[in-house]
Amino acid sequence: MPSKPIARPAKPVSITEGFNKIKALINRTPTYNGNGNGDGFLSLADYRDGGIFLAHYAGNSEWERHSKGDEMVMVVDGETTLILLHNGEEIGHPMSQGMLLVVPQNMWHRFESPQLVKIMTITPQPTDHSVKKPS
């Protein structure tokens, strides 16, 4: 049986060039993720039902979860603590350059990053967000 044709040709993308396009977002808070002008975040490439994203910031994120699949998080530079909410308990996972964590589907999570960090994620969509700790 012949295989399906590829819808679009694959092409390499540069993570380094992607980070060069981002202005570091200082003082990220759960209610402030930048002004949408290239500060802090970049959509690097489409991937399945979501995308590959880059982030460069210092501060704390809101809670988020992904109902359609697991999310891969990799620290490219710097350090962060990725906090997973498991049975109502916040479990912190300190992560530094080169570390990877797969956040299970539907698990609420957030980041605490006192210093600048560069993160790459492979994130399914949609993403649910909550400023307050989910119950």
Side-chain angles (χ1 to χ4, degrees), residues 56-107:
H56 186 196
Y57 67 90
N60 299 329
S61 73
E62 74 282 9
W63 289 97
E64 64 178 65
R65 70 175 175 184
H66 313 285
S67 60
K68 299 286 184 175
D70 299 342
E71 178 182 40
M72 189 281 302
V73 176
M74 180 179 174
V75 177
V76 177
D77 189 38
E79 298 177 343
T80 190
T81 298
L82 180 50
I83 299 169
L84 306 180
L85 187 60
H86 182 68
N87 294 328
E89 180 183 355
E90 294 184 35
I91 303 169
H93 298 278
M95 296 176 63
S96 58
Q97 182 177 347
M99 295 182 79
L100 174 112
L101 190 145
V102 177
V103 179
Q105 180 176 345
N106 273 321
M107 181 165 282

mmCIF file of all heavy atoms in Angstrom, residues 56-107:
data_model
loop_
_atom_site.group_PDB
_atom_site.id
_atom_site.type_symbol
_atom_site.label_atom_id
_atom_site.label_comp_id
_atom_site.label_asym_id
_atom_site.label_seq_id
_atom_site.Cartn_x
_atom_site.Cartn_y
_atom_site.Cartn_z
ATOM 1 N N HIS A 56 11.742 33.152 26.778
ATOM 2 C CA HIS A 56 12.919 33.736 27.417
ATOM 3 C C HIS A 56 12.403 34.788 28.399
ATOM 4 O O HIS A 56 11.918 35.843 27.975
ATOM 5 C CB HIS A 56 13.826 34.370 26.357
ATOM 6 C CG HIS A 56 15.133 34.862 26.906
ATOM 7 N ND1 HIS A 56 15.914 35.733 26.208
ATOM 8 C CD2 HIS A 56 15.799 34.619 28.052
ATOM 9 C CE1 HIS A 56 17.011 36.002 26.907
ATOM 10 N NE2 HIS A 56 16.953 35.335 28.035
ATOM 11 N N TYR A 57 12.467 34.485 29.676
ATOM 12 C CA TYR A 57 11.854 35.363 30.666
ATOM 13 C C TYR A 57 12.448 35.116 32.051
ATOM 14 O O TYR A 57 13.144 34.135 32.287
ATOM 15 C CB TYR A 57 10.334 35.156 30.702
ATOM 16 C CG TYR A 57 9.950 33.789 31.216
ATOM 17 C CD1 TYR A 57 9.746 33.579 32.576
ATOM 18 C CD2 TYR A 57 9.815 32.715 30.366
ATOM 19 C CE1 TYR A 57 9.428 32.316 33.062
ATOM 20 C CE2 TYR A 57 9.496 31.456 30.836
ATOM 21 C CZ TYR A 57 9.302 31.270 32.184
ATOM 22 O OH TYR A 57 9.000 30.020 32.660
ATOM 23 N N ALA A 58 12.095 35.990 32.972
ATOM 24 C CA ALA A 58 12.329 35.801 34.402
ATOM 25 C C ALA A 58 11.025 36.132 35.096
ATOM 26 O O ALA A 58 10.335 37.084 34.733
ATOM 27 C CB ALA A 58 13.438 36.720 34.906
ATOM 28 N N GLY A 59 10.654 35.309 36.062
ATOM 29 C CA GLY A 59 9.414 35.535 36.796
ATOM 30 C C GLY A 59 8.627 34.253 36.927
ATOM 31 O O GLY A 59 9.160 33.151 36.762
ATOM 32 N N ASN A 60 7.347 34.397 37.210
ATOM 33 C CA ASN A 60 6.476 33.246 37.462
ATOM 34 C C ASN A 60 5.324 33.215 36.472
ATOM 35 O O ASN A 60 4.762 34.259 36.131
ATOM 36 C CB ASN A 60 5.922 33.302 38.883
ATOM 37 C CG ASN A 60 7.016 33.265 39.920
ATOM 38 O OD1 ASN A 60 8.065 32.674 39.712
ATOM 39 N ND2 ASN A 60 6.789 33.926 41.040
ATOM 40 N N SER A 61 4.960 32.017 36.051
ATOM 41 C CA SER A 61 3.871 31.856 35.083
ATOM 42 C C SER A 61 2.560 31.568 35.798
ATOM 43 O O SER A 61 2.528 31.254 36.988
ATOM 44 C CB SER A 61 4.186 30.713 34.116
ATOM 45 O OG SER A 61 4.041 29.459 34.762
ATOM 46 N N GLU A 62 1.487 31.632 35.037
ATOM 47 C CA GLU A 62 0.190 31.178 35.506
ATOM 48 C C GLU A 62 0.161 29.649 35.463
ATOM 49 O O GLU A 62 1.059 29.018 34.921
ATOM 50 C CB GLU A 62 -0.931 31.761 34.627
ATOM 51 C CG GLU A 62 -1.054 31.140 33.243
ATOM 52 C CD GLU A 62 -0.032 31.628 32.227
ATOM 53 O OE1 GLU A 62 0.920 32.346 32.565
ATOM 54 O OE2 GLU A 62 -0.170 31.251 31.054
ATOM 55 N N TRP A 63 -0.874 29.058 36.043
ATOM 56 C CA TRP A 63 -1.081 27.609 35.917
ATOM 57 C C TRP A 63 -1.568 27.321 34.497
ATOM 58 O O TRP A 63 -2.297 28.127 33.908
ATOM 59 C CB TRP A 63 -2.135 27.125 36.912
ATOM 60 C CG TRP A 63 -1.673 27.137 38.329
ATOM 61 C CD1 TRP A 63 -1.897 28.112 39.260
ATOM 62 C CD2 TRP A 63 -0.902 26.128 38.982
ATOM 63 N NE1 TRP A 63 -1.312 27.767 40.451
ATOM 64 C CE2 TRP A 63 -0.693 26.545 40.314
ATOM 65 C CE3 TRP A 63 -0.361 24.912 38.576
ATOM 66 C CZ2 TRP A 63 0.023 25.798 41.241
ATOM 67 C CZ3 TRP A 63 0.354 24.157 39.494
ATOM 68 C CH2 TRP A 63 0.541 24.600 40.804
ATOM 69 N N GLU A 64 -1.174 26.171 33.955
ATOM 70 C CA GLU A 64 -1.674 25.751 32.649
ATOM 71 C C GLU A 64 -1.769 24.233 32.603
ATOM 72 O O GLU A 64 -1.138 23.541 33.395
ATOM 73 C CB GLU A 64 -0.779 26.260 31.520
ATOM 74 C CG GLU A 64 0.629 25.702 31.543
ATOM 75 C CD GLU A 64 1.464 26.189 30.372
ATOM 76 O OE1 GLU A 64 1.729 27.399 30.282
ATOM 77 O OE2 GLU A 64 1.859 25.344 29.550
ATOM 78 N N ARG A 65 -2.582 23.749 31.668
ATOM 79 C CA ARG A 65 -2.668 22.306 31.403
ATOM 80 C C ARG A 65 -3.086 22.115 29.951
ATOM 81 O O ARG A 65 -3.610 23.022 29.306
ATOM 82 C CB ARG A 65 -3.643 21.604 32.345
ATOM 83 C CG ARG A 65 -5.088 21.939 32.090
ATOM 84 C CD ARG A 65 -6.016 21.139 32.970
ATOM 85 N NE ARG A 65 -7.390 21.602 32.743
ATOM 86 C CZ ARG A 65 -8.420 21.169 33.409
ATOM 87 N NH1 ARG A 65 -8.264 20.263 34.370
ATOM 88 N NH2 ARG A 65 -9.623 21.620 33.151
ATOM 89 N N HIS A 66 -2.847 20.894 29.461
ATOM 90 C CA HIS A 66 -3.098 20.573 28.055
ATOM 91 C C HIS A 66 -3.946 19.305 27.987
ATOM 92 O O HIS A 66 -3.491 18.225 28.373
ATOM 93 C CB HIS A 66 -1.772 20.399 27.318
ATOM 94 C CG HIS A 66 -0.818 21.515 27.646
ATOM 95 N ND1 HIS A 66 -0.961 22.776 27.127
ATOM 96 C CD2 HIS A 66 0.243 21.566 28.488
ATOM 97 C CE1 HIS A 66 -0.016 23.550 27.622
ATOM 98 N NE2 HIS A 66 0.730 22.838 28.452
ATOM 99 N N SER A 67 -5.162 19.444 27.495
ATOM 100 C CA SER A 67 -6.122 18.336 27.513
ATOM 101 C C SER A 67 -5.934 17.329 26.384
ATOM 102 O O SER A 67 -6.475 16.233 26.449
ATOM 103 C CB SER A 67 -7.553 18.887 27.462
ATOM 104 O OG SER A 67 -7.741 19.647 26.276
ATOM 105 N N LYS A 68 -5.146 17.674 25.368
ATOM 106 C CA LYS A 68 -5.010 16.793 24.197
ATOM 107 C C LYS A 68 -3.728 15.976 24.175
ATOM 108 O O LYS A 68 -3.538 15.177 23.269
ATOM 109 C CB LYS A 68 -5.098 17.623 22.910
ATOM 110 C CG LYS A 68 -6.399 18.345 22.724
ATOM 111 C CD LYS A 68 -7.510 17.423 22.336
ATOM 112 C CE LYS A 68 -8.763 18.232 22.072
ATOM 113 N NZ LYS A 68 -9.848 17.452 21.594
ATOM 114 N N GLY A 69 -2.823 16.188 25.156
ATOM 115 C CA GLY A 69 -1.593 15.393 25.134
ATOM 116 C C GLY A 69 -0.561 15.890 26.122
ATOM 117 O O GLY A 69 -0.749 16.902 26.799
ATOM 118 N N ASP A 70 0.543 15.154 26.208
ATOM 119 C CA ASP A 70 1.665 15.515 27.068
ATOM 120 C C ASP A 70 2.390 16.731 26.479
ATOM 121 O O ASP A 70 2.380 16.942 25.272
ATOM 122 C CB ASP A 70 2.680 14.370 27.154
ATOM 123 C CG ASP A 70 2.112 13.089 27.739
ATOM 124 O OD1 ASP A 70 1.048 13.141 28.386
ATOM 125 O OD2 ASP A 70 2.733 12.033 27.548
ATOM 126 N N GLU A 71 3.059 17.486 27.352
ATOM 127 C CA GLU A 71 3.891 18.609 26.904
ATOM 128 C C GLU A 71 5.345 18.313 27.254
ATOM 129 O O GLU A 71 5.653 17.903 28.373
ATOM 130 C CB GLU A 71 3.472 19.909 27.585
ATOM 131 C CG GLU A 71 4.351 21.093 27.185
ATOM 132 C CD GLU A 71 3.988 22.381 27.876
ATOM 133 O OE1 GLU A 71 3.672 22.367 29.079
ATOM 134 O OE2 GLU A 71 4.034 23.428 27.200
ATOM 135 N N MET A 72 6.245 18.515 26.307
ATOM 136 C CA MET A 72 7.669 18.357 26.550
ATOM 137 C C MET A 72 8.247 19.724 26.862
ATOM 138 O O MET A 72 8.030 20.691 26.135
ATOM 139 C CB MET A 72 8.353 17.771 25.312
ATOM 140 C CG MET A 72 9.806 17.363 25.510
ATOM 141 S SD MET A 72 11.059 18.682 25.482
ATOM 142 C CE MET A 72 10.841 19.425 23.908
ATOM 143 N N VAL A 73 8.980 19.824 27.987
ATOM 144 C CA VAL A 73 9.620 21.072 28.405
ATOM 145 C C VAL A 73 11.117 20.819 28.516
ATOM 146 O O VAL A 73 11.539 19.881 29.206
ATOM 147 C CB VAL A 73 9.069 21.548 29.766
ATOM 148 C CG1 VAL A 73 9.806 22.786 30.250
ATOM 149 C CG2 VAL A 73 7.565 21.790 29.696
ATOM 150 N N MET A 74 11.926 21.674 27.857
ATOM 151 C CA MET A 74 13.382 21.552 27.934
ATOM 152 C C MET A 74 13.991 22.902 28.263
ATOM 153 O O MET A 74 13.636 23.913 27.653
ATOM 154 C CB MET A 74 13.962 21.063 26.615
ATOM 155 C CG MET A 74 15.456 20.918 26.656
ATOM 156 S SD MET A 74 16.093 20.299 25.090
ATOM 157 C CE MET A 74 17.832 20.429 25.407
ATOM 158 N N VAL A 75 14.895 22.915 29.240
ATOM 159 C CA VAL A 75 15.616 24.142 29.587
ATOM 160 C C VAL A 75 16.834 24.239 28.670
ATOM 161 O O VAL A 75 17.696 23.364 28.684
ATOM 162 C CB VAL A 75 16.035 24.147 31.070
ATOM 163 C CG1 VAL A 75 16.841 25.400 31.387
ATOM 164 C CG2 VAL A 75 14.810 24.047 31.974
ATOM 165 N N VAL A 76 16.868 25.295 27.878
ATOM 166 C CA VAL A 76 17.959 25.525 26.936
ATOM 167 C C VAL A 76 19.101 26.291 27.611
ATOM 168 O O VAL A 76 20.270 26.032 27.355
ATOM 169 C CB VAL A 76 17.446 26.279 25.684
ATOM 170 C CG1 VAL A 76 18.575 26.605 24.730
ATOM 171 C CG2 VAL A 76 16.366 25.452 24.980
ATOM 172 N N ASP A 77 18.746 27.210 28.504
ATOM 173 C CA ASP A 77 19.760 27.987 29.223
ATOM 174 C C ASP A 77 19.135 28.510 30.507
ATOM 175 O O ASP A 77 17.961 28.885 30.529
ATOM 176 C CB ASP A 77 20.242 29.158 28.361
ATOM 177 C CG ASP A 77 21.451 29.862 28.955
ATOM 178 O OD1 ASP A 77 22.330 29.187 29.520
ATOM 179 O OD2 ASP A 77 21.513 31.099 28.850
ATOM 180 N N GLY A 78 19.907 28.545 31.574
ATOM 181 C CA GLY A 78 19.416 29.059 32.844
ATOM 182 C C GLY A 78 18.786 27.965 33.691
ATOM 183 O O GLY A 78 19.052 26.772 33.500
ATOM 184 N N GLU A 79 17.930 28.403 34.629
ATOM 185 C CA GLU A 79 17.287 27.479 35.567
ATOM 186 C C GLU A 79 15.843 27.897 35.804
ATOM 187 O O GLU A 79 15.509 29.076 35.715
ATOM 188 C CB GLU A 79 18.017 27.498 36.912
ATOM 189 C CG GLU A 79 19.450 27.042 36.837
ATOM 190 C CD GLU A 79 20.161 27.146 38.175
ATOM 191 O OE1 GLU A 79 19.659 27.854 39.087
ATOM 192 O OE2 GLU A 79 21.222 26.520 38.316
ATOM 193 N N THR A 80 15.026 26.926 36.129
ATOM 194 C CA THR A 80 13.634 27.168 36.500
ATOM 195 C C THR A 80 13.203 26.057 37.438
ATOM 196 O O THR A 80 13.876 25.028 37.553
ATOM 197 C CB THR A 80 12.715 27.219 35.265
ATOM 198 O OG1 THR A 80 11.413 27.680 35.645
ATOM 199 C CG2 THR A 80 12.594 25.869 34.580
ATOM 200 N N THR A 81 12.085 26.265 38.095
ATOM 201 C CA THR A 81 11.427 25.181 38.822
ATOM 202 C C THR A 81 10.081 24.974 38.154
ATOM 203 O O THR A 81 9.276 25.910 38.056
ATOM 204 C CB THR A 81 11.248 25.515 40.314
ATOM 205 O OG1 THR A 81 12.546 25.695 40.890
ATOM 206 C CG2 THR A 81 10.538 24.380 41.044
ATOM 207 N N LEU A 82 9.864 23.779 37.668
ATOM 208 C CA LEU A 82 8.597 23.419 37.045
ATOM 209 C C LEU A 82 7.762 22.739 38.119
ATOM 210 O O LEU A 82 8.164 21.708 38.673
ATOM 211 C CB LEU A 82 8.831 22.490 35.848
ATOM 212 C CG LEU A 82 7.628 22.001 35.069
ATOM 213 C CD1 LEU A 82 6.683 23.118 34.671
ATOM 214 C CD2 LEU A 82 8.082 21.239 33.835
ATOM 215 N N ILE A 83 6.638 23.344 38.444
ATOM 216 C CA ILE A 83 5.794 22.858 39.531
ATOM 217 C C ILE A 83 4.594 22.145 38.941
ATOM 218 O O ILE A 83 3.835 22.721 38.150
ATOM 219 C CB ILE A 83 5.357 24.023 40.434
ATOM 220 C CG1 ILE A 83 6.609 24.667 41.040
ATOM 221 C CG2 ILE A 83 4.397 23.543 41.515
ATOM 222 C CD1 ILE A 83 6.371 25.958 41.742
ATOM 223 N N LEU A 84 4.435 20.883 39.311
ATOM 224 C CA LEU A 84 3.299 20.074 38.876
ATOM 225 C C LEU A 84 2.303 19.979 40.022
ATOM 226 O O LEU A 84 2.699 19.833 41.187
ATOM 227 C CB LEU A 84 3.758 18.671 38.479
ATOM 228 C CG LEU A 84 4.867 18.575 37.432
ATOM 229 C CD1 LEU A 84 5.203 17.118 37.150
ATOM 230 C CD2 LEU A 84 4.494 19.299 36.163
ATOM 231 N N LEU A 85 1.029 20.036 39.707
ATOM 232 C CA LEU A 85 -0.023 19.894 40.703
ATOM 233 C C LEU A 85 -0.551 18.471 40.629
ATOM 234 O O LEU A 85 -1.198 18.092 39.663
ATOM 235 C CB LEU A 85 -1.136 20.918 40.440
ATOM 236 C CG LEU A 85 -2.227 21.018 41.488
ATOM 237 C CD1 LEU A 85 -1.651 21.412 42.856
ATOM 238 C CD2 LEU A 85 -3.278 22.033 41.056
ATOM 239 N N HIS A 86 -0.234 17.676 41.658
ATOM 240 C CA HIS A 86 -0.615 16.268 41.684
ATOM 241 C C HIS A 86 -1.445 16.003 42.934
ATOM 242 O O HIS A 86 -0.951 16.150 44.049
ATOM 243 C CB HIS A 86 0.634 15.384 41.668
ATOM 244 C CG HIS A 86 0.339 13.919 41.637
ATOM 245 N ND1 HIS A 86 -0.231 13.312 40.549
ATOM 246 C CD2 HIS A 86 0.521 12.954 42.565
ATOM 247 C CE1 HIS A 86 -0.380 12.028 40.799
ATOM 248 N NE2 HIS A 86 0.067 11.791 42.022
ATOM 249 N N ASN A 87 -2.711 15.640 42.740
ATOM 250 C CA ASN A 87 -3.637 15.389 43.852
ATOM 251 C C ASN A 87 -3.661 16.560 44.836
ATOM 252 O O ASN A 87 -3.646 16.372 46.052
ATOM 253 C CB ASN A 87 -3.288 14.094 44.584
ATOM 254 C CG ASN A 87 -3.484 12.874 43.710
ATOM 255 O OD1 ASN A 87 -4.371 12.851 42.849
ATOM 256 N ND2 ASN A 87 -2.670 11.869 43.909
ATOM 257 N N GLY A 88 -3.665 17.779 44.309
ATOM 258 C CA GLY A 88 -3.733 18.977 45.126
ATOM 259 C C GLY A 88 -2.406 19.419 45.727
ATOM 260 O O GLY A 88 -2.327 20.472 46.341
ATOM 261 N N GLU A 89 -1.354 18.629 45.554
ATOM 262 C CA GLU A 89 -0.038 18.957 46.109
ATOM 263 C C GLU A 89 0.861 19.527 45.015
ATOM 264 O O GLU A 89 0.950 18.971 43.919
ATOM 265 C CB GLU A 89 0.612 17.709 46.697
ATOM 266 C CG GLU A 89 1.973 17.958 47.296
ATOM 267 C CD GLU A 89 2.643 16.689 47.811
ATOM 268 O OE1 GLU A 89 2.026 15.612 47.792
ATOM 269 O OE2 GLU A 89 3.814 16.796 48.220
ATOM 270 N N GLU A 90 1.548 20.653 45.327
ATOM 271 C CA GLU A 90 2.500 21.249 44.399
ATOM 272 C C GLU A 90 3.839 20.540 44.555
ATOM 273 O O GLU A 90 4.416 20.524 45.637
ATOM 274 C CB GLU A 90 2.668 22.737 44.686
ATOM 275 C CG GLU A 90 1.416 23.536 44.411
ATOM 276 C CD GLU A 90 1.614 25.024 44.604
ATOM 277 O OE1 GLU A 90 2.720 25.537 44.301
ATOM 278 O OE2 GLU A 90 0.650 25.681 45.041
ATOM 279 N N ILE A 91 4.318 19.949 43.475
ATOM 280 C CA ILE A 91 5.589 19.226 43.484
ATOM 281 C C ILE A 91 6.551 19.966 42.563
ATOM 282 O O ILE A 91 6.348 20.021 41.354
ATOM 283 C CB ILE A 91 5.408 17.766 43.034
ATOM 284 C CG1 ILE A 91 4.394 17.071 43.940
ATOM 285 C CG2 ILE A 91 6.743 17.037 43.028
ATOM 286 C CD1 ILE A 91 3.937 15.720 43.450
ATOM 287 N N GLY A 92 7.604 20.556 43.164
ATOM 288 C CA GLY A 92 8.569 21.335 42.404
ATOM 289 C C GLY A 92 9.684 20.473 41.853
ATOM 290 O O GLY A 92 10.222 19.610 42.553
ATOM 291 N N HIS A 93 10.021 20.719 40.610
ATOM 292 C CA HIS A 93 11.112 20.011 39.935
ATOM 293 C C HIS A 93 12.130 21.036 39.461
ATOM 294 O O HIS A 93 11.939 21.667 38.411
ATOM 295 C CB HIS A 93 10.589 19.202 38.748
ATOM 296 C CG HIS A 93 9.626 18.137 39.129
ATOM 297 N ND1 HIS A 93 10.023 16.914 39.600
ATOM 298 C CD2 HIS A 93 8.269 18.131 39.143
ATOM 299 C CE1 HIS A 93 8.962 16.181 39.862
ATOM 300 N NE2 HIS A 93 7.883 16.892 39.601
ATOM 301 N N PRO A 94 13.233 21.237 40.218
ATOM 302 C CA PRO A 94 14.273 22.155 39.750
ATOM 303 C C PRO A 94 14.891 21.622 38.460
ATOM 304 O O PRO A 94 15.198 20.437 38.347
ATOM 305 C CB PRO A 94 15.300 22.150 40.885
ATOM 306 C CG PRO A 94 14.566 21.621 42.076
ATOM 307 C CD PRO A 94 13.532 20.677 41.527
ATOM 308 N N MET A 95 15.046 22.526 37.494
ATOM 309 C CA MET A 95 15.593 22.139 36.197
ATOM 310 C C MET A 95 16.634 23.157 35.769
ATOM 311 O O MET A 95 16.459 24.352 35.965
ATOM 312 C CB MET A 95 14.471 22.058 35.155
ATOM 313 C CG MET A 95 13.436 20.986 35.460
ATOM 314 S SD MET A 95 12.071 20.998 34.264
ATOM 315 C CE MET A 95 12.941 20.584 32.745
ATOM 316 N N SER A 96 17.714 22.664 35.164
ATOM 317 C CA SER A 96 18.769 23.531 34.656
ATOM 318 C C SER A 96 19.060 23.160 33.203
ATOM 319 O O SER A 96 18.458 22.234 32.651
ATOM 320 C CB SER A 96 20.019 23.419 35.525
ATOM 321 O OG SER A 96 20.469 22.084 35.571
ATOM 322 N N GLN A 97 20.002 23.881 32.611
ATOM 323 C CA GLN A 97 20.327 23.718 31.199
ATOM 324 C C GLN A 97 20.472 22.253 30.807
ATOM 325 O O GLN A 97 21.152 21.484 31.479
ATOM 326 C CB GLN A 97 21.623 24.454 30.881
ATOM 327 C CG GLN A 97 22.024 24.378 29.426
ATOM 328 C CD GLN A 97 23.281 25.178 29.143
ATOM 329 O OE1 GLN A 97 23.733 25.969 29.953
ATOM 330 N NE2 GLN A 97 23.851 24.965 27.977
ATOM 331 N N GLY A 98 19.791 21.884 29.734
ATOM 332 C CA GLY A 98 19.874 20.532 29.195
ATOM 333 C C GLY A 98 18.894 19.548 29.794
ATOM 334 O O GLY A 98 18.803 18.414 29.333
ATOM 335 N N MET A 99 18.133 19.968 30.817
ATOM 336 C CA MET A 99 17.176 19.049 31.439
ATOM 337 C C MET A 99 15.833 19.100 30.706
ATOM 338 O O MET A 99 15.441 20.129 30.155
ATOM 339 C CB MET A 99 17.001 19.373 32.916
ATOM 340 C CG MET A 99 18.273 19.153 33.714
ATOM 341 S SD MET A 99 18.056 19.471 35.476
ATOM 342 C CE MET A 99 17.249 17.933 35.945
ATOM 343 N N LEU A 100 15.152 17.976 30.735
ATOM 344 C CA LEU A 100 13.887 17.799 30.028
ATOM 345 C C LEU A 100 12.894 17.151 30.974
ATOM 346 O O LEU A 100 13.265 16.293 31.785
ATOM 347 C CB LEU A 100 14.138 16.886 28.822
ATOM 348 C CG LEU A 100 12.943 16.458 28.029
ATOM 349 C CD1 LEU A 100 13.028 17.125 26.661
ATOM 350 C CD2 LEU A 100 12.950 14.965 27.851
ATOM 351 N N LEU A 101 11.641 17.561 30.898
ATOM 352 C CA LEU A 101 10.573 16.939 31.672
ATOM 353 C C LEU A 101 9.349 16.847 30.776
ATOM 354 O O LEU A 101 9.033 17.803 30.051
ATOM 355 C CB LEU A 101 10.255 17.778 32.914
ATOM 356 C CG LEU A 101 9.331 17.116 33.932
ATOM 357 C CD1 LEU A 101 9.734 17.523 35.345
ATOM 358 C CD2 LEU A 101 7.887 17.486 33.705
ATOM 359 N N VAL A 102 8.660 15.722 30.809
ATOM 360 C CA VAL A 102 7.411 15.554 30.074
ATOM 361 C C VAL A 102 6.269 15.707 31.070
ATOM 362 O O VAL A 102 6.156 14.937 32.025
ATOM 363 C CB VAL A 102 7.343 14.186 29.365
ATOM 364 C CG1 VAL A 102 6.001 14.012 28.673
ATOM 365 C CG2 VAL A 102 8.492 14.056 28.356
ATOM 366 N N VAL A 103 5.460 16.748 30.865
ATOM 367 C CA VAL A 103 4.310 17.009 31.721
ATOM 368 C C VAL A 103 3.150 16.175 31.201
ATOM 369 O O VAL A 103 2.752 16.313 30.039
ATOM 370 C CB VAL A 103 3.937 18.506 31.710
ATOM 371 C CG1 VAL A 103 2.720 18.758 32.592
ATOM 372 C CG2 VAL A 103 5.121 19.364 32.143
ATOM 373 N N PRO A 104 2.595 15.290 32.040
ATOM 374 C CA PRO A 104 1.502 14.433 31.573
ATOM 375 C C PRO A 104 0.256 15.231 31.156
ATOM 376 O O PRO A 104 -0.016 16.308 31.692
ATOM 377 C CB PRO A 104 1.183 13.558 32.785
ATOM 378 C CG PRO A 104 2.431 13.584 33.607
ATOM 379 C CD PRO A 104 3.008 14.961 33.400
ATOM 380 N N GLN A 105 -0.453 14.680 30.217
ATOM 381 C CA GLN A 105 -1.702 15.264 29.734
ATOM 382 C C GLN A 105 -2.611 15.601 30.913
ATOM 383 O O GLN A 105 -2.729 14.821 31.866
ATOM 384 C CB GLN A 105 -2.389 14.242 28.819
ATOM 385 C CG GLN A 105 -3.701 14.694 28.238
ATOM 386 C CD GLN A 105 -4.268 13.657 27.268
ATOM 387 O OE1 GLN A 105 -3.575 12.748 26.831
ATOM 388 N NE2 GLN A 105 -5.529 13.810 26.936
ATOM 389 N N ASN A 106 -3.242 16.769 30.863
ATOM 390 C CA ASN A 106 -4.207 17.258 31.851
ATOM 391 C C ASN A 106 -3.616 17.621 33.206
ATOM 392 O O ASN A 106 -4.364 17.921 34.138
ATOM 393 C CB ASN A 106 -5.356 16.273 32.055
ATOM 394 C CG ASN A 106 -6.463 16.507 31.056
ATOM 395 O OD1 ASN A 106 -6.777 17.653 30.737
ATOM 396 N ND2 ASN A 106 -7.022 15.436 30.544
ATOM 397 N N MET A 107 -2.298 17.589 33.375
ATOM 398 C CA MET A 107 -1.703 17.945 34.662
ATOM 399 C C MET A 107 -1.441 19.449 34.706
ATOM 400 O O MET A 107 -0.743 19.994 33.855
ATOM 401 C CB MET A 107 -0.404 17.189 34.914
ATOM 402 C CG MET A 107 0.208 17.532 36.266
ATOM 403 S SD MET A 107 1.476 16.357 36.775
ATOM 404 C CE MET A 107 0.454 15.001 37.352
#
